[in-house]
Structures are given as C-alpha cells and as structure tokens.
Amino acid sequence: MSNDIFVWIEQFNGQVAGPSWEAIGAARTLSQTLGGQVCACIFGQGVEALAKDAIAYGADKVFLADDPTLADFRLEPYTALMAELARQHQPALILMGATARGRDLGPAVAVDLETGCVADCTALEFQDGQLVATRPIYAGKLLCTCTVPERRPAVFTLRSRAFPKPEPDPSRTGEIIQVAPILKEEDIPSKVTGFQETVGGVNLADAAIIVSGGRGVGGPEGFEPIRELARTLKAAVGASRAAVDAGWIPYEHQVGQTGKTVSPDLYIACGISGAIQHQAGMRTSKVIVAINKDPEAPIFQLARYGIVGDLFKYVPALAEELKKRLGA
Amino acid sequence: MHIVVCTKQTPDSAAKLTVDAAGNVSWGDSPIVINPWDEYAVEEALLIKERLGGNARVTVISMGPEAALEALKHAIAMGADEGIRIWDPIFEGSDTLATSYVLAKAIEKMGDVDLVLFGKSAIDSQTGQIPVEVAYRLGFSPLTYVIKIAELDPAGKTIIAERLLEQGRQVVKAPLPAVVGTIKGINEPRYPSFMGIRKATRAQYPVWSATDIGADPAKVGAAGSGVRWTRIFSPPTREGKAEIIQAETVEETVRILVDKLMAEKVI
Ligand SMILES: Cc1cc2nc3c(=O)[nH]c(=O)nc-3n(C[C@H](O)[C@H](O)[C@H](O)COP(=O)(O)OP(=O)(O)OC[C@H]3O[C@@H](n4cnc5c(N)ncnc54)[C@H](O)[C@@H]3O)c2cc1C
Ligand SMILES: Nc1ncnc2c1ncn2[C@@H]1O[C@H](COP(=O)(O)O)[C@@H](O)[C@H]1O
C-alpha cells in the first residue's frame, strides 16, 4: 500500500463539479499527515484540458482516461477503471464529491475492492493515525464519526461545500499519465440515450447563496419576487415541500429531508415555517435569514437574522437595496 | 415478472432524538415506521404490476431484527404480495458493504428476479449506498436516482429510466434484470387500505438465516464490514434565536440587513 490519495474529478460536458476541487483541497491537507501524493483521476471524452486544472488545484499526478466509452458517466466503465487503477497503485484513500454520481461510484468501487465507503462526510481529520470522518445522520439531527479501521483503500464521499475550495495555482507542476479504459463499448450494458438539462441551472448543491420560497408565497406567481432576488444575488432558487407539492415549482428545487441537502453561505427563507424536515436540508447553511409574518415560526430559532413581516414587501425591497449596493 | 422491493424500518421522521453518553439513540414514544423513501419503491412496484395487468409478483425483503416487520407489514398493506425478513444474529453490526452482500445473496437465492427496487436512502443512517452496491454485486443494471421509468419491456428484457442528476435528467436504456433506486417525484405513494392492513396482520413473514441464503459468515456483520461507527452525538446547537431586524420603514430594515450580511461577508 502507498500513502497516495486518489481523488475522482467529476465532470459534465467538461465542467468540473465543485466538490471535486474541494476534495482535492481536502486531499492536500490530509497528505500533509499521510505523506504520499495526491492523484487526480479524470475520465471523459475531450477532457485533457482538465488535467492542468487539477494540478493547479493541488494534484501531484493525474490519471487521465480520454475515450468515447467514458463520454457520459456510466457506472460500469467508471467503476471498472477506478477499481483497476486502485489495484495497480494501492492508494491509502479515495475521495470524491457526494454528488449523485459520486455516491454511485464511491460505493461501487468499494464493493469491487471489498473495502469501506463512508458517505457524505462533512469533516475529515486524523486522530491517533486513524482517519476519522464526521457525517450527519437522522436528517442532520445527529452526527456520527466513522473510521475504516482495517481495509484499504478507504473510500470517502464528501458533502458539497463542506470543505473549502482551494485557490488554483497555475505555477504548480505535476505528472500526467494517460490510461486506457477497461471495458469496451460492447461490454457496457447501459446506454445513455439522452440528457435533458434543467433549465435555469438550479444546481442547489453548489450554490453559495440560496433564496427559498414556501407556502407563504401563495402561488406560482409568488415565486417571481423570489426569483428576482435570486437573480440579483446570483443565487439558486429553493423551495419547501409545501410549495412543491402545491405544484408551484418543480421538485428539483425542493430543499429538505425528501429534497436536496444544501449548505450555502447564505440561505434566505421566505414564507417558510421551518418544519424539522425542511431544516434537515438547510440547517448547516452558514448564515440563515428568515422573512416570515409569524414571529413564532420555528425558522426564527434557526436563523441568524429575521424579519417579521410580509415577504411581498420585504423581498422586493431587499432586491432593490442589493441592486444599489452591488451595482447590479 | 418478479419484482423485489428492499426496505427497512426507521424512527418516524418527526421523532425527537436523544443520544446518551454511550451513543445509544432513542426516539421516545415515536413510532417505528417504514423508511419514508421506501414507500416510493413499493408504490412503483405496485404501479408496474398494475400496468402489466397483474402479471407480476411483488416480494418485499428487509434485513433486520423483529422491528423490520413494521416495514414489511406496511408494504404488504399497500399491496405487495409477500414479505421476507432476512436475519441472523451474525448480521448485527453490518455496514453497507455487508448489508448489500446479504441482500444480494437473498435475491440470488430467489433466482428469478427481474427488477429490484429501492428507496433513495434510509433516513437514519442516510448513506444511500445500498442500491448501487446490490446492483454491482448482482451484475444487474445500476439505475439509481430514477424519477421516471419511461419504458419497461419484460419480453424484450429492457428498461428505459430517467435519472435525476445535478444538471438534469439522464435517460438510460439498460437490460433487465435491473436495480432501480427511486426518488421522490417518481409517484405518489398510496395509503394502505383497510383490507390491506388486515392482510398484513394475518400474513406469514418467513425469516431467512445466513445458512438459508448461503452467506459466508466472514462477509457479514462487523467482520464483513469496512466502516466502523465510533461515536454518535448531537450537533452543536445554534446560537439560539434570530436577531430580529425591525426599523421604521421597510427600506431601512432591508438596509440594516444588507449591512449585516456584508459584514458577515456572505454577499
Ligand atoms: C416524511 C416527510 C418528509 C418531508 N420532507 C420535506 C422536505 O424535504 N422539505 C420540506 O420543506 N418539507 C418537507 N416535509 C414537510 C414539512 O413537514 C412541512 O410541511 C413543510 O416544510 C412546510 O412548508 P412551508 O414552510 O412552506 O409551509 P407552512 O408550514 O405552511 O409555512 C408557511 C409559512 O409562511 C408564512 N407566511 C405566509 N404568508 C406570508 C407572507 N405573505 N409573508 C411572509 N410569510 C408568510 C407563514 O407564517 C408560515 O410560517 C416533509 C414531511 C414529511 C412528513
Ligand atoms: N437492512 C436493509 N434491508 C433491506 N433494504 C435495505 C436495508 N437497508 C437499506 N435498504 C434499502 O436501501 C435503501 C438505501 O439505504 P441506505 O443505503 O442504508 O441509505 C433504502 O431506501 C432501502 O430501500
């Protein structure tokens, strides 16, 4: 076994998912204790350019597989390649983002290598030589710590925005190693036949700021001021389940236990009461602002700042003020 | 067509949880329920069966102690045909590596399974790893985060599924047998009917042991696990109540708020 750390760099159409760079940053920190190199694994088609980025963000070495069979994320070819690279190079750890794709690849690789995979980590630190991961359980009502005491490599998926994104340093140098895929197209049963991109780029998990609306917005048109505020802040739009169930906004926007888990720097909850299941998805946000006409709403217990009043007055006023200040 | 739904029991999602110094979690007198995400998997199995004019059998399985019966009973009450509990004291302490092994062995034993449905994750341990692990072990097509089964052709043995990823919907065509990890939005789970509840109360729930499914004792329980939980604790509590911003006018109020947010460096 080496002391190297593998990091899977997730990309879609050549765009790298935020948690991948965060994972490189986490790997750099861990490698200070572990020694060994940080090795980025980049799979796709037409993705050579990303190798340099990975080095700038902190990789010492890049395993680059550029092949049509890897154009779309598919579990079979990605797992086969990742597991084979791990068998050849024997890293101590494998890190990746806890995105939909990462939460598929991590455990599949772990099964292939008969090792442990810790899901959705929010912190990683060495204690007495053992890497200890912290992760939320029971919808974030509790936390637990986990280790992978014996098996190697140990696999960890990291929650979006739980680890700081490193500053890229274009002067860093590293080694790029071309690798070939393991499976041929005819050995891959799954075929990707289409991709419908979400319009309006919801991607809540990556958003630094989220403006969310709940039942208090009163109807589909009630999301207009929410969207306007979001545009001003370059924020993503979130929603409570009540608003989604009412059909005012698609499910993709739902935050909470049965929706997305988010952790932005700023979460502005408008007309959301703050039910425990909603809190489950947003309680780790750095600063929470609540705008609600009911001073007793539970959201005020979680929020750092609150405005008690009508969202239809305060949300547009807030957007106006921000436009002035941010010069937007 | 034989459809298997994997499910487990969890404390109710509204339960107030406490944890003692030894790390034991308790949920007071809150009920144990079927893992809420799994209701979508059961519902989808029933919808498929209905679409096939009843030409399918829905088996629900759960690896777990007695309490797992709650999940099986709920699924039967919704309309599933039979429930099997998979348990052996040596399964105690299994992580997802070991649990997926046990579930895969049980599904292998059945021999004729075309489709295995899962919930997205369990609301207690919330790993979401079991569906993909079971698929990988069985060599079944791995379809997770499925928001829509667009096509299911039992004769041609193919399935077309729409998977919800961060950037949108990926459409995948794959051969059966397949594993489908469902998410909310795929359907609206039905409530158990009165007749269903009666059926669930009277039904027999066979228990399959490690020997019954041919499981290697070295691959189950703590011995077969990769991950060890070392501590469970309550998260640090937030500072308490929000600072309420209240000025003469709406404009002044939002101005103060923006000042504070700028000072916090979040905008
Ligand atoms: C198993 C399970 C899973 C769940 N999962 C989720 C989940 O993932 N996400 C989620 O959000 N919920 C979830 N829920 C539902 C949750 O329990 C709540 O019902 C839901 O979050 C309530 O949404 P809300 O806050 O928008 O609505 P309400 O609770 O009705 O609150 C509306 C708020 O708007 C305020 N308001 C009204 N008009 C105005 C106005 N003009 N200006 C300012 N304020 C106004 C009101 O004072 C009130 O506080 C789940 C429930 C269960 C049982
Ligand atoms: N012990 C178990 N028995 C049967 N199914 C399970 C078990 N644990 C988890 N599952 C299934 O796997 C899904 C994901 O669970 P998890 O990976 O534990 O978050 C759940 O929604 C269930 O469908």
Side-chain angles (χ1 to χ4, degrees):
Chain A
M1 191 192 75
S2 75
N3 287 325
D4 291 350
I5 306 176
F6 275 19
V7 179
W8 177 56
I9 304 300
E10 172 179 350
Q11 57 83 27
F12 175 71
N13 291 344
Q15 287 285 103
V16 172
S20 297
W21 298 142
E22 293 157 19
I24 289 269
R28 275 254 67 89
T29 309
L30 296 173
S31 72
Q32 285 165 12
T33 306
L34 206 57
Q37 294 191 308
V38 174
C39 309
C41 303
I42 304 179
F43 311 156
Q45 186 178 24
V47 291
E48 302 90 336
L50 301 181
K52 279 207 177 66
D53 294 344
I55 292 167
Y57 275 105
D60 301 305
K61 201 187 259 179
V62 177
F63 293 111
L64 177 69
D66 204 292
D67 192 85
T69 55
L70 304 170
D72 292 300
F73 176 85
R74 284 180 295 176
L75 191 77
E76 301 95 325
Y78 274 63
T79 307
L81 182 53
M82 194 73 184
E84 185 51 33
L85 285 173
R87 266 189 288 272
Q88 282 172 15
H89 300 276
Q90 304 278 313
L93 310 174
I94 301 180
L95 309 185
M96 58 187 77
T99 57
R101 295 176 184 84
R103 293 183 82 153
D104 265 6
L105 183 63
V109 167
V111 166
D112 194 306
L113 301 172
E114 301 252 5
T115 187
C117 178
V118 183
D120 206 20
C121 306
T122 53
L124 289 171
E125 75 177 315
F126 280 103
Q127 284 172 17
D128 307 322
Q130 187 68 257
L131 185 57
V132 179
T134 305
R135 55 183 304 269
I137 52 173
Y138 294 94
K141 288 186 217 170
L142 299 175
L143 296 174
C144 76
T145 53
C146 297
T147 59
V148 180
E150 281 137 23
R151 303 182 191 226
R152 291 294 175 269
V155 185
F156 298 85
T157 66
L158 313 191
R159 177 174 285 202
S160 289
R161 303 181 49 78
F163 297 82
K165 182 176 167 183
E167 278 302 319
D169 170 4
S171 69
R172 286 193 85 247
T173 53
E175 187 187 359
I176 300 173
I177 300 162
Q178 305 275 346
V179 295
I182 306 295
L183 299 184
K184 293 197 276 299
E185 187 56 46
E186 56 271 29
D187 300 328
I188 306 169
S190 304
K191 307 294 171 195
V192 176
T193 60
F195 202 101
Q196 303 152 19
E197 275 190 63
T198 311
V199 279
V202 183
N203 207 352
L204 284 165
D206 284 348
I209 305 180
I210 295 173
V211 186
S212 269
R215 203 194 312 270
V217 308
E221 62 294 337
F223 269 96
E224 264 326 301
I226 306 287
R227 283 200 191 90
E228 181 58 25
L229 177 56
R231 269 192 293 273
T232 313
L233 285 166
K234 296 193 174 51
V237 174
S240 73
R241 175 164 169 178
V244 170
D245 284 355
W248 301 342
I249 186 162
Y251 168 61
E252 281 88 328
H253 294 265
Q254 186 180 315
V255 172
Q257 186 172 325
T258 45
K260 296 231 162 62
T261 304
V262 299
S263 200
D265 293 336
L266 175 60
Y267 188 93
I268 307 181
C270 313
I272 294 178
S273 62
I276 188 92
Q277 295 92 352
H278 188 78
Q279 292 192 13
M282 44 67 79
R283 64 186 319 145
T284 56
S285 308
K286 203 165 133 204
V287 173
I288 297 167
V289 173
I291 303 178
N292 194 308
K293 52 181 192 193
D294 173 12
E296 301 300 320
I299 191 76
F300 287 121
Q301 247 121 65
L302 194 65
R304 180 156 323 159
Y305 302 109
I307 292 179
V308 179
D310 184 359
L311 73 92
F312 291 105
K313 281 200 202 122
Y314 286 95
V315 171
L318 187 55
E320 277 314 306
E321 179 65 22
L322 284 163
K323 271 179 208 160
K324 272 189 243 157
R325 300 279 197 103
L326 303 175
Chain B
M1 177 149 201
H2 190 185
I3 306 173
V4 168
V5 182
C6 295
T7 180
K8 70 170 289 189
Q9 79 291 355
T10 58
D12 189 76
S13 69
K16 265 221 161 335
L17 299 172
T18 51
V19 53
D20 67 16
N24 299 307
V25 179
S26 67
W27 41 88
D29 46 15
S30 279
I32 289 292
V33 297
I34 185 171
N35 173 35
W37 288 103
D38 299 347
E39 292 178 47
Y40 300 101
V42 178
E43 177 65 31
E44 197 60 21
L46 300 176
L47 290 175
I48 293 169
K49 179 172 175 173
E50 284 160 16
R51 275 208 300 278
L52 297 175
N55 222 339
R57 188 154 58 91
V58 178
T59 306
V60 279
I61 65 173
S62 183
M63 181 194 102
E66 282 275 329
L69 274 180
E70 289 309 320
L72 295 179
K73 280 185 179 164
H74 190 96
I76 300 288
M78 284 174 73
D81 297 301
E82 56 189 322
I84 302 168
R85 187 161 70 87
I86 312 189
W87 189 244
D88 200 299
I90 64 169
F91 295 162
E92 189 76 52
S94 295
D95 73 346
T96 68
L97 184 71
T99 303
S100 65
Y101 171 74
V102 169
L103 294 174
K105 289 303 268 186
I107 293 162
E108 252 168 25
K109 175 187 156 97
M110 295 176 199
D112 60 349
V113 177
D114 304 285
L115 201 58
V116 186
L117 296 173
F118 284 90
K120 182 186 163 202
S121 80
I123 66 162
D124 47 8
S125 61
Q126 99 187 35
T127 78
Q129 298 190 157
I130 303 273
V132 73
E133 290 179 336
V134 169
Y136 199 75
R137 287 186 180 282
L138 292 168
F140 287 14
S141 299
L143 303 170
T144 49
Y145 302 99
V146 171
I147 190 150
K148 187 174 175 188
I149 297 182
E151 227 179 277
L152 181 67
D153 176 2
K157 293 220 165 284
T158 55
I159 178 169
I160 299 178
E162 295 181 13
R163 308 179 58 225
L164 191 63
L165 305 179
E166 279 80 5
Q167 304 81 1
R169 293 182 183 210
Q170 185 193 48
V171 188
V172 182
K173 181 171 184 181
L176 296 178
V179 160
V180 170
T182 58
I183 58 172
K184 179 179 180 272
I186 192 171
N187 57 43
E188 244 344 292
R190 69 195 67 187
Y191 290 102
S193 66
F194 177 68
M195 292 297 287
I197 294 168
R198 276 222 330 223
K199 182 177 149 209
T201 319
R202 291 179 186 167
Q204 297 288 318
Y205 299 89
V207 182
W208 290 359
S209 69
T211 322
D212 291 331
I213 59 171
D216 174 355
K219 293 192 168 185
V220 303
S225 295
V227 178
R228 183 178 303 157
W229 289 34
T230 47
R231 195 160 87 88
I232 299 180
F233 53 102
S234 300
T237 44
R238 291 249 168 191
E239 304 80 291
K241 268 184 112 51
E243 176 183 334
I244 301 293
I245 300 169
Q246 191 76 51
E248 287 288 303
T249 62
V250 171
E251 288 69 26
E252 183 57 21
T253 305
V254 298
R255 215 160 18 239
I256 297 170
L257 177 62
V258 172
D259 284 342
K260 303 230 180 229
L261 296 179
M262 288 186 132
E264 298 257 15
K265 294 193 168 50
V266 292
I267 52 176

